[in-house]
Amino acid sequence: VVESLQNVRIHGWMNEYGKRICYIIIGKEKENYMICVANLAENRIVGNIKSSFDKFKGLGTNAIKKIYLNSISSGKLTEKGGAGLGLMTIALKADNNINFDFDKINDQLNLFNLHIKVCAN
C-alpha cells in the first residue's frame, strides 16, 4: 500500500491546483488482500510503465530479487530521483500477483489502474 501511494505521489499527474486525482481500495478475498490503486498518468509515461511491468511478467520471486539487487548496486537514479524500485518492491511483496491497465481519458491523460493481491497470512 505504501509503495503504491508513493508511486502516485511521485509519478501521478498533478492538476493546475497542485492536486493529484487518485483512489485506493483495499479489500479481503478469502486468504488474500486485494489492493486497487488508480491515478491519472500522462500519456507520455504509459510506455515506461508498461515496460517496467514487462520486466517482471512471468518471473519468480528469486528472479525479481536479483533484478532488485542489481538495480540497487548499480546506483543509477531515474529523473525522479529513485532507482525504479517501487514496482519491484510491490512485485516482491505481492509474489508477482499484480495486474494493471490503462483507460484513456483524453489526448493527455490515462487512468492507470494497479491491482495487487497479497497473501493475508
Side-chain angles (χ1 to χ4, degrees):
V1 172
V2 172
E3 287 292 339
S4 299
L5 292 175
Q6 285 178 329
N7 281 339
V8 169
R9 182 181 59 82
I10 294 168
H11 302 290
W13 175 79
M14 189 182 308
N15 69 13
E16 65 270 15
Y17 304 107
K19 304 290 182 191
R20 297 190 195 288
I21 299 166
C22 64
Y23 68 82
I24 183 168
I25 300 171
I26 303 171
K28 189 162 189 248
E29 179 184 75
K30 297 182 184 178
E31 300 299 318
N32 299 301
Y33 288 107
M34 308 301 289
I35 304 160
C36 300
V37 182
N39 64 278
L40 293 177
E42 291 183 63
N43 291 344
R44 65 180 177 79
I45 68 168
V46 168
N48 293 340
I49 295 170
K50 287 180 179 178
S51 66
S52 293
F53 276 105
D54 285 344
K55 289 181 193 174
F56 314 121
K57 196 180 285 183
L59 296 180
T61 303
N62 288 335
I64 297 170
K65 280 182 187 177
K66 268 187 185 175
I67 296 169
Y68 182 89
L69 293 173
N70 286 338
S71 295
I72 290 174
S73 65
S74 75
K76 293 180 182 174
L77 298 178
T78 64
E79 65 184 41
K80 299 276 186 164
L85 301 177
L87 293 178
M88 281 186 262
T89 301
I90 293 168
L92 285 170
K93 299 283 184 187
D95 206 20
N96 212 7
N97 286 313
I98 53 179
N99 290 299
F100 69 96
D101 59 49
F102 291 93
D103 294 315
K104 188 171 183 174
I105 302 297
N106 58 34
D107 289 337
Q108 181 188 4
L109 298 171
N110 270 272
L111 181 65
F112 171 50
N113 299 285
L114 181 62
H115 309 275
I116 308 162
K117 186 188 301 186
V118 179
C119 182
N121 297 325

